[in-house]
Amino acid sequence: MTDRKNGLTYADSGVDIDAGNRLVDLIKPMVRATARPGADAEIGGFGGLFDLKAAGFKDPVLVAATDGVGTKVKIAIETGLHGGIGIDLVAMSVNDLVVQGAEPLFFLDYFACGKLDPDATASIVAGIAEGCRESGCALIGGETAEMPGLYKDGDYDLGGFAVGAAERGTLLPRKDIAAGDAVIGLASSGVHSNGFSLVRKIVERSGLGFGAPAPFAPVMTLGGALLTPTRLYVKSCLRAIRETGAVKGLAHITGGGFTDNIPRVLPQNLGVGIDLARLPVLPVFKWLAAQAGIAELEMLRTFNCGIGMIAIVEPDKVDKVVEVFTDAGETAVQLGTVIPAEGEHRVVYNGHLDLEL
C-alpha cells in the first residue's frame, strides 16, 4: 500500500484513538468489580451478555430505563469534581427500575465529549462502577464518543441505560392500592439530579463561586455540596418489598417533584394527602428557596425537598416497613395517606414546608 506524505490522520481532526484505548485499560478493573451472577462484567467485545437463568430467574419480565444527569454536569465540569456524577447516572435509572419492583441486572453508559481526558473520564466511570456495585447490577458495556466541534474541550455529557427483571406477577404498582394506604417518604441526600438549570441560575444570582463555602454546609464548598450524589434506593426498597409483602407502590421523586411523580403509580380515582410539616426539608432547599424567593408549590414541583422516594404501604404494616427501611440505612417518615381523588389535583398538601434557614 502506498504511503501518502503529509496525509491527515484522525488525530489531526481532534480524535485520539490511543487515548480511548488508555481509558479502556484504566476502567477494566473498575468494571470487573461489578460482576454478579449472570454477568462477568468483562468489556471489550461488541456487546454485553447477561444470563437470566444464572441470575436465578424462572419466569422474568424485563424492565428497562434510561436517563442522564442533566445540567448538573456543568457544575462537575466547572469544579473538576467528576467522581459523584457517575453515581448520579446510575441512580437515575436504577431507582426508576426498583419502583416497578424490578431488580437491576445490568447497566451500560454512553459518554460524549469534545476531547477525551482519560483520567477525568476514568473518575466518572469509577463513580458509575460504584453506583452499579451499590445497586447490585453489572456494568457490562458502554460507549465513549469523542466529538470535536460538537462539544468544546472540557465539556461532556453522559447517558445511562439499565435493565432489570421481576418475576411475573410481582411488578409494582399493585392493583390493590386503596384509600387509607399509608404514604412513607425516604430521605434524599440533596438535590439529586433534577432542577439544576434553576440551581445554577440561583447560584449565579447569589454572586458566590462554586469554590466558596456553602452557606448551608460551611465545611463544604458550594460546588461540592451541590454535587452530592443521588441516593441509591435499590437495596433498601427490594428488602422492604421482599421482607414485608406490604409495599404496594413506589414513586421516585425526580423532575416534577411530588406533584407529578406520585400520581404516576396511583389508580386514576385516587390521590394522596401529604402533611408538609412532616417533610424533613434539607438545608440546601431552604437556601435555594430563600435566595430566589421560590414559591412553596414551585419548590414541590421542581425539587425533591428532602424526600427522594415515596412508598405506598398497607396501613397495618407501616411499623414493619419503616423498621426494614431503617435497618437498611434509610431515614423513613410517614407523610400522609392515599385519598379519593377530587378533580385534577391528585396531590393535596396540608400545612407548609419548613423553609426557615
Side-chain angles (χ1 to χ4, degrees):
M1 188 173 182
T2 303
D3 289 334
R4 296 187 179 183
K5 293 181 180 180
N6 302 318
L8 285 173
T9 67
Y10 209 5
D12 292 328
S13 72
V15 178
D16 189 344
I17 295 175
D18 291 334
N21 291 334
R22 288 198 300 275
L23 173 63
V24 172
D25 290 337
L26 286 171
I27 67 176
K28 274 186 176 181
M30 308 172 193
V31 175
R32 195 174 292 125
T34 70
R36 55 151 291 159
D40 59 13
E42 291 289 343
I43 59 173
F46 287 93
L49 304 177
F50 193 93
D51 185 343
L52 282 166
K53 187 175 181 180
F57 287 92
K58 297 179 176 62
D59 186 19
V61 176
L62 293 178
V63 183
T66 183
D67 209 337
V69 183
T71 58
K72 188 175 185 178
V73 299
K74 290 289 290 181
I75 300 177
I77 291 166
E78 291 183 33
T79 61
L81 302 173
H82 304 290
I85 213 78
I87 298 174
D88 286 306
L89 183 67
V90 175
M92 294 304 290
S93 284
V94 297
N95 285 344
D96 280 354
L97 291 184
V98 78
V99 301
Q100 295 172 90
E103 173 187 340
L105 302 177
F106 61 85
F107 189 86
L108 300 98
D109 66 274
Y110 175 79
F111 177 86
C113 62
K115 183 175 178 58
L116 185 62
D117 179 337
D119 292 324
T121 308
S123 178
I124 295 168
V125 176
I128 293 172
E130 181 181 346
C132 286
R133 287 195 305 273
E134 291 186 23
S135 305
C137 66
L139 179 56
I140 65 170
E143 174 68 13
T144 301
E146 195 173 15
M147 295 185 282
L150 186 58
Y151 294 91
K152 294 185 296 185
D153 286 359
D155 279 353
Y156 65 82
D157 198 8
L158 62 169
F161 313 85
V163 173
E167 293 291 356
R168 195 176 304 275
T170 66
L171 289 169
L172 298 181
R174 283 168 29 183
K175 297 184 183 300
D176 62 342
I177 294 176
D181 285 340
V183 178
I184 294 174
L186 304 183
S188 68
S189 56
V191 187
H192 286 183
S193 299
N194 299 102
F196 271 87
S197 294
L198 178 56
V199 169
R200 289 170 47 246
K201 184 174 286 293
I202 293 170
V203 171
E204 181 183 348
R205 288 187 176 182
S206 76
L208 295 174
F210 289 121
F216 51 88
V219 298
M220 302 180 71
T221 64
L222 179 57
L226 292 172
L227 286 170
T228 300
T230 305
R231 188 163 181 82
L232 293 152
Y233 297 102
V234 171
K235 290 187 176 179
S236 60
C237 285
L238 288 176
R239 274 191 61 181
I241 292 167
R242 293 166 177 172
E243 294 182 16
T244 71
V247 177
K248 294 185 175 184
L250 294 165
H252 186 198
I253 306 304
T254 55
F258 294 140
T259 306
D260 291 349
N261 284 294
I262 298 176
R264 296 169 67 182
V265 301
L266 298 174
Q268 285 294 323
N269 63 324
L270 295 176
V272 294
I274 300 292
D275 184 353
L276 294 180
R278 298 183 183 181
L279 205 151
V281 181
L282 297 175
V284 60
F285 298 112
K286 297 181 180 184
W287 181 77
L288 290 168
Q291 281 293 308
I294 305 173
E296 185 176 70
L297 289 177
E298 184 69 14
M299 289 292 296
L300 289 162
R301 198 177 183 190
T302 304
F303 300 116
N304 67 64
C305 294
I307 293 293
M309 183 70 75
I310 290 287
I312 309 296
V313 175
E314 295 176 16
D316 58 343
K317 294 184 179 178
V318 170
D319 291 343
K320 176 60 176 175
V321 173
V322 169
E323 179 184 348
V324 172
F325 275 131
T326 302
D327 287 346
E330 303 292 356
T331 299
V333 58
Q334 186 170 352
L335 296 175
T337 58
V338 176
I339 60 175
E342 295 183 8
E344 61 181 289
H345 300 293
R346 298 179 62 199
V347 179
V348 178
Y349 299 112
N350 304 303
H352 294 283
L353 293 172
D354 176 12
L355 294 174
E356 293 297 321
L357 286 168

